[in-house]
Structure formats: C-alpha cells, structure tokens
Amino acid sequence: HVQLVESGGGSVQAGGSLRLSCATSAITYSMYCMGWFRQAPGEEREGVAAIDSFGSTNYADSVKGRFTISKDNAKNTLYLQMNSLKPEDTAMYYCAAKIPCWYSEYNYWGQGTQVTVS
C-alpha cells in the first residue's frame, strides 16, 4: 500500500510563491505516474500537473509558466513549485499516484493541503 502525505500549503498574497511537497512510501513498481490536483469549494477537482517515470511533465493551461512539478526519487518526494500565485489558485491541493502508469485512474491519494491566495 502506498501512502502519500502532502505538506507546504498555507496562505500567501497574490504574486507570491509556495512549494508543496508530497512524501511517499517507497514505490517498488518502476513505471508509475504522479500528479497534483486541486479542488476549490463548490468546484470539481481538476488536474494541475503530472509527471511520469521518465520525467516527462504536463500542465493545465491555467498554471503553465507558473507552476513546476518535479520529483526526487532518492527522497521519495514529489514537489509542486507555485510562483506568481493568483487568488483563483486557492484550493485544496492533492498529490496522487497512478501505479502502474497505464491505469486509467489515479489509485493512490494524499489527504490534501490547503493553499489560500489573497
């Protein structure tokens, strides 16, 4: 069973930055994908960024050029660097893993960390 624990959320003024971290238990399967999602009150959850086992990334249009997803395999940690934050980035942010990567749905989720931009 894979465990994901997010941290790094908080309150920041518009234009500021935050870095989210997602500590994972060791993933022994080699081909997996990870991603960040967010959900604002009253809205559907949306994908923010994703990264695969080869390091290829993709981003939602709304965060391109502002957010960067990365991972440190030695530390079993996924990151989301968020710059130039906007009030519309306010949401609960979740990290997730898709093991193996070819699964259609993410099958492991963290508990979330709140980001508030004012």
Side-chain angles (χ1 to χ4, degrees):
H1 181 71
V2 176
Q3 293 184 317
L4 309 176
V5 180
E6 302 96 333
S7 61
S11 296
V12 64
Q13 292 188 336
S17 298
L18 284 173
R19 188 177 81 157
L20 305 183
S21 298
C22 175
T24 74
S25 54
I27 299 174
T28 57
Y29 197 86
S30 60
M31 302 295 288
Y32 65 94
C33 293
M34 297 198 72
W36 287 98
F37 293 77
R38 66 186 181 187
Q39 187 168 22
E43 298 188 13
E44 293 187 355
R45 185 174 63 199
E46 64 170 341
V48 175
I51 186 167
D52 67 15
S53 296
F54 301 103
S56 296
T57 60
N58 60 76
Y59 298 90
D61 287 343
S62 58
V63 306
K64 280 181 182 176
R66 300 188 299 121
F67 291 11
T68 303
I69 188 171
S70 63
K71 60 178 179 173
D72 186 329
N73 292 329
K75 295 183 179 180
N76 293 324
T77 303
L78 178 74
Y79 301 101
L80 184 67
Q81 178 66 45
M82 306 186 294
N83 299 326
S84 302
L85 283 161
K86 304 175 181 180
E88 51 263 44
D89 295 318
T90 295
M92 185 71 79
Y93 283 71
Y94 300 88
C95 72
K98 192 163 44 168
I99 307 170
C101 196
W102 51 261
Y103 270 16
S104 60
E105 301 288 339
Y106 281 81
N107 47 350
Y108 295 97
W109 292 85
Q111 83 289 348
T113 186
Q114 177 68 39
V115 171
T116 302
V117 185
S118 60

